[in-house]
Amino acid sequence: MFPDAGATKAVLIGTSTYTFLEDLPAVSNNLNSLADLLTGPTSWNLNRDDCHVLSEPTNAIAVMDTLRDAADAARDTLLVYYAGHGLVTPEGELYLGLPQSRQQRVETGLQYSWLRGALLEGRAERTVVILDCCYAGLALGTMGPSDLAAQADVEGTYLLAAASETRQALAPPGEPHTAFTGELLTILTTGIAGGPEQLDLDNVFLQLRKSLSAKGHPVPQGRERNSNGQLALGWNPAFSRAPVSVSHRAGSADLRAWPDPAAIRSVEGFINALGQVRVTSGLTHSAISHRSGGQISTGTISTLLNRKDLPRTWQTTSVYLTACGLPDERLSDWQLRWHQLRSDHPTTAAPDSEEQRPRSQDTRTATAWGRALRQLTRRRLRD
């Protein structure tokens, strides 16, 4: 399942230039590439304003202010990513390197315990923490002289660490990205052959371990809380869907990974999920228009998927979902979510193009019209 883009935030933190430590030039590319991915249509499709990039932060206060604001605003998912030097105190606790950081001088960096505290105070239902740094495994509490397990014990968190507490993460010379983030980006942009339609955290983690181990790189570590492993980071470009069979058209179970309207919490998330329906259907705008029997044009579909507010009537959305092949039994769930969002977010926007058409006195009710459309769509599929 994908998070609601309108209720999700990301904070990407990275330090590539250091005064007292070795520079890591690839970190800058990590931040830019990951931000482009998270704001793109193949991943979470976040608004740029909801994806905060903190490159070369001068001090921990600047980082914590941004992190706390994001944790307070996110209602669905909060993603926190750090790339740079991971450092260890004499007591064995992890802190994250900043430009002026020094070895065993925790006051010069960002203590992981501070980050953890901000997440505990946040209101997001799910949290994803990705640490691409040396000794990131300390955040998992797998080793160390002190009880480090509590450091990562954040309810609802999925934590990915580039290296165990005894291994250093790699930044191969001349490579555009660090080894861990580079592999993560490769998985999300090229996909997993034979993998699921949606690249959830569990599958991404397993593929990271497999591919990095095969290359002789440090093997990433992970910890999951509250089944967050099912959260999707992106669509699988390598996914291959078998053609729809005649028996499927006749009403056999639809096993495709349709977006779940129950996970939608905002208007932006609703519109984004409509776009995910089209991706899941595998249909073009023209094909959807054709399957609707001409009830909606390609222009109307494009407007529906790019608008910033909810459609004022349910009719256009219903036609679109039905033409995409959404199972009949799921349609009522979408309509319920539309009604709830309409109540929470009333709009004065101009009507949809279909709403501007004159209607005769004997216009059918929405329910009867929907049944007729579904019958027409099924006839077209059989032809």
Side-chain angles (χ1 to χ4, degrees):
M1 63 178 177
F2 279 87
D4 183 337
T8 294
K9 307 289 181 182
V11 179
L12 313 182
I13 310 160
T15 303
S16 60
T17 304
Y18 297 84
T19 302
F20 304 102
L21 302 172
E22 181 183 359
D23 289 344
L24 300 171
V27 167
S28 180
N29 292 332
N30 285 5
L31 297 178
N32 293 331
S33 298
L34 189 57
D36 288 342
L37 184 73
L38 291 172
T39 57
T42 62
S43 183
W44 287 0
N45 203 23
L46 295 180
N47 188 300
R48 278 285 179 177
D49 293 337
D50 294 328
C51 186
H52 306 278
V53 177
L54 303 180
S55 180
E56 318 298 335
T58 56
N59 56 68
I61 295 176
V63 176
M64 293 305 300
D65 284 346
T66 300
L67 185 59
R68 285 197 172 95
D69 288 344
D72 184 64
R75 293 295 181 273
D76 189 301
T77 300
L78 172 64
L79 183 145
V80 180
Y81 167 90
Y82 172 81
H85 281 297
L87 306 168
V88 186
T89 69
E91 295 75 28
E93 295 181 349
L94 175 69
Y95 65 104
L96 309 178
L98 300 178
Q100 299 297 318
S101 289
R102 301 189 185 194
Q103 291 281 2
Q104 298 191 342
R105 293 280 297 275
V106 65
E107 69 274 11
T108 64
L110 174 65
Q111 292 190 49
Y112 182 78
S113 60
W114 296 350
L115 185 150
R116 174 183 177 272
L119 300 184
L120 285 171
E121 295 170 2
R123 296 189 283 180
E125 181 178 336
R126 291 176 290 264
T127 304
V128 180
V129 177
I130 302 176
L131 300 178
D132 187 356
C133 59
C134 303
Y135 309 113
L138 287 175
L140 300 171
T142 53
M143 277 187 65
S146 60
D147 182 11
L148 299 173
Q151 291 192 41
D153 189 18
V154 183
E155 192 70 18
T157 296
Y158 194 105
L159 195 148
L160 281 176
S164 71
E165 69 285 350
T166 58
R167 293 291 303 273
Q168 293 189 346
L170 290 178
E175 292 293 327
H177 303 102
T178 59
F180 173 82
T181 298
E183 198 64 39
L184 174 64
L185 292 168
T186 296
I187 292 171
L188 294 177
T189 53
T190 64
I192 301 175
E197 186 174 3
Q198 298 179 4
L199 295 175
D200 59 47
L201 285 164
D202 280 343
N203 280 283
V204 169
F205 174 56
L206 292 175
Q207 185 65 24
L208 278 170
R209 289 181 62 88
K210 177 181 178 181
S211 55
L212 288 172
S213 177
K215 295 177 181 179
H217 293 336
V219 179
Q221 309 296 307
R223 172 175 287 181
E224 175 188 357
R225 300 274 300 180
N226 285 7
S227 302
N228 279 348
Q230 299 174 9
L231 182 69
L233 284 179
W235 296 98
N236 185 3
F239 178 75
S240 178
R241 181 184 296 115
V244 180
S245 64
V246 174
S247 61
H248 173 80
R249 294 171 183 169
S252 61
D254 190 334
L255 301 180
R256 287 177 287 183
W258 297 103
D260 181 7
I264 299 172
R265 292 168 175 79
S266 67
V267 172
E268 183 179 349
F270 187 89
I271 300 301
N272 189 51
L274 290 179
Q276 293 177 21
V277 168
R278 190 201 66 77
V279 174
T280 302
S281 73
L283 299 172
T284 64
H285 289 197
S286 297
I288 295 170
S289 177
H290 177 73
R291 286 166 59 101
S292 76
Q295 293 293 330
I296 50 174
S297 65
T298 56
T300 299
I301 296 170
S302 179
T303 299
L304 176 65
L305 300 184
N306 289 282
R307 61 190 299 152
K308 301 300 182 183
D309 56 354
L310 285 174
R312 291 186 62 184
T313 67
W314 171 244
Q315 177 177 316
T316 301
T317 307
S318 176
V319 175
Y320 167 79
L321 291 172
T322 300
C324 283
L326 186 79
D328 291 350
E329 61 271 16
R330 294 174 179 252
L331 196 60
S332 59
D333 294 335
W334 280 86
Q335 186 174 12
L336 175 61
R337 182 59 67 196
W338 174 81
H339 276 299
Q340 291 170 337
L341 290 172
R342 283 278 296 170
S343 299
D344 295 339
H345 304 277
T347 179
T348 57
D352 303 322
S353 57
E354 281 80 1
E355 296 180 82
Q356 297 172 350
R357 298 175 182 172
R359 301 181 183 180
S360 62
Q361 294 293 327
D362 61 345
T363 300
R364 298 175 180 174
T365 65
T367 301
W369 185 92
R371 286 198 298 267
L373 173 64
R374 288 191 285 274
Q375 292 172 359
L376 175 61
T377 300
R378 292 192 186 97
R379 285 200 297 270
R380 285 182 173 274
L381 288 172
R382 289 194 294 267
D383 294 340

